[in-house]
Amino acid sequence: MVRPWPRAGLAVVLAACLLAPSSGVRGPTPAVEDYVTRQLTVAANTYLARRSQALVQKDGRDRRAAAPTEVLGVRISPSLVRSQEKAVRELETRNRAPVEGGPAYTGARTRLDEGRAVRTGDRITLEAVEHTEMRYGRGGRGKVTQSVRRRFEFRATGEQITMVGERVLDPGAHPVNDPLGESR
């Protein structure tokens, strides 16, 4: 014989169901598709690599091109483009050597590990590790390497994605390719 639930027991079960979070309402923040994450990573890497290159001696030639306003379909906000131009000018004019008076940087390579991109409404956040290698001295035999965690902020409007912000996540880190005291 099946006995019906006692009223008090049924009320407890129903209350527990109501208090339990629904997987449709809450849950992990949705990760962005792999191809979009790669697209955002390439755009962010291009942005950082340009600053690293600004530290390398140019042999008297002006090879500086304007900051890109779009990379692989990802737009760069006008405020970030202005910030990038200012940063590049500062990096080109400051000491371009690992130590004051030492041999100049002769090469730069910046690589951004494909991080994790997460979408929240119209915002996408990409967190990744930047690896920068600066060569210096005769024949580029000297080397300075640095790894820094960064966060890039993007805004999605329909199919268009725009990079709107970037910052260093590691407390106390001073990336060689960041301008002094700059907050973007």
Side-chain angles (χ1 to χ4, degrees):
M1 169 177 218
V2 176
R3 301 182 98 187
W5 282 76
R7 287 186 193 253
L10 182 59
V12 169
V13 169
L14 287 175
C17 289
L18 291 174
L19 292 176
S22 166
S23 64
V25 175
R26 293 184 196 169
T29 306
V32 175
E33 296 86 358
D34 289 343
Y35 75 93
V36 174
T37 299
R38 282 189 295 277
Q39 181 182 18
L40 301 178
T41 302
V42 168
N45 190 74
T46 301
Y47 185 79
L48 294 175
R50 186 162 185 272
R51 292 203 310 250
S52 297
Q53 287 299 320
L55 289 165
V56 177
Q57 293 273 336
K58 304 289 193 269
D59 300 327
R61 294 173 291 176
D62 185 17
R63 291 187 254 166
R64 190 170 75 123
T69 57
E70 186 171 312
V71 176
L72 202 58
V74 175
R75 289 187 182 155
I76 311 298
S77 74
S79 63
L80 273 183
V81 169
R82 285 189 301 275
S83 174
Q84 177 79 326
E85 286 298 315
K86 181 180 174 190
V88 166
R89 280 191 307 274
E90 179 186 320
L91 292 167
E92 286 177 333
T93 58
R94 85 172 182 206
N95 180 38
R96 293 188 198 175
V99 295
E100 189 70 41
Y105 291 122
T106 58
R109 184 173 48 193
T110 296
R111 176 180 49 87
L112 196 62
D113 283 351
E114 189 168 306
R116 183 167 188 265
V118 176
R119 181 185 292 256
T120 306
D122 69 342
R123 297 287 180 171
I124 301 173
T125 303
L126 171 70
E127 290 188 10
V129 177
E130 169 200 357
H131 303 281
T132 299
E133 178 182 289
M134 301 297 294
R135 294 281 183 174
Y136 64 91
R138 188 172 290 212
R141 289 192 179 122
K143 173 171 80 167
V144 174
T145 59
Q146 190 174 48
S147 294
V148 180
R149 291 181 313 128
R150 291 193 186 256
R151 175 178 292 150
F152 300 88
E153 299 289 335
F154 299 86
R155 184 180 61 241
T157 308
E159 294 294 313
Q160 181 60 60
I161 299 175
T162 304
M163 185 164 57
V164 295
E166 172 256 320
R167 69 186 185 105
V168 174
L169 295 178
D170 294 329
H174 300 286
V176 66
N177 60 353
D178 272 4
L180 303 174
E182 179 88 8
S183 173
R184 288 165 303 285

